[in-house]
Amino acid sequence: MVKVPVQLTLNGTERAEFIDSGLTLLNALRDRFGDTSPKGGCHQGTCGACSVIVDGDLKLSCLTLAETCNGAHIETTAGLASDGILHPLQRAFLDGFAAQCGFCTPGMIMAAKALLARVPNPTREDVVEAISGNICRCTGYEPIIQAILSAARSNSQNAA
């Protein structure tokens, strides 16, 4: 297999690896870069568990080739907490019991983060649309929706 160099910024840290051509971003993040926060659910782009933010856009890492991310800035849930303090979305998910088994949580949080970057004060419909590509088998979605809305309210109060 042909190895290709990939340089990227992962959660604020510059990283470089030689990876197999054709390797998915999900597998590169987990196996080469050591970030196991994106989860491999369906490996077909239908569950959203592997969602990450690449250069500001939400991407399914199981469908994204790692070599196409050369020079990119990638965010995962592993990079959200700072100095032991949870990101407001992580805190809202915890406080609102929005993570039961937790498998979908990284993808849901990244979808929510991408939404809040575009729409700081989303409506319930905005949230439902933003997480529509993510499947949860445990919560029935309502706690997730409420956690995202709560984080948005908290962010807008802190910005005021």
Side-chain angles (χ1 to χ4, degrees):
M1 183 139 276
V2 175
K3 299 275 188 188
V4 294
V6 174
Q7 292 181 294
L8 50 82
T9 303
L10 177 59
N11 297 320
T13 302
E14 290 187 26
R15 302 289 304 271
E17 288 283 340
F18 283 97
I19 60 165
D20 292 332
S21 179
L23 188 67
T24 66
L25 180 58
L26 173 64
N27 288 336
L29 289 171
R30 293 180 62 82
D31 300 336
R32 300 296 300 179
F33 294 104
D35 185 340
T36 58
S37 64
K39 304 300 178 206
C42 67
H43 297 276
Q44 298 175 351
T46 59
C47 76
C50 67
S51 298
V52 298
I53 297 175
V54 179
D55 291 333
D57 295 324
L58 190 67
K59 299 282 186 183
L60 297 168
S61 64
C62 75
L63 297 182
T64 303
L65 292 178
E67 59 200 271
T68 66
C69 296
N70 193 40
H73 291 266
I74 298 172
E75 296 176 74
T76 70
T77 53
L80 295 182
S82 177
D83 296 324
I85 298 170
L86 294 177
H87 184 277
L89 278 166
Q90 292 170 311
R91 172 55 55 198
F93 268 64
L94 180 65
D95 291 346
F97 303 101
Q100 288 185 12
C101 83
F103 200 81
C104 73
T105 304
M108 289 285 189
I109 288 176
M110 296 315 291
K113 187 173 187 304
L115 168 67
L116 296 180
R118 290 187 328 272
V119 183
N121 296 302
T123 64
R124 184 180 198 291
E125 293 75 25
D126 292 332
V127 173
V128 169
E129 175 66 25
I131 65 169
S132 66
N134 297 68
I135 296 173
C136 174
R137 303 260 186 235
C138 301
T139 69
Y141 296 96
E142 197 56 37
I144 294 168
I145 294 166
Q146 292 306 315
I148 296 167
L149 290 170
S150 174
R153 284 190 302 272
S154 177
N155 283 343
S156 67
Q157 290 171 354
N158 289 336

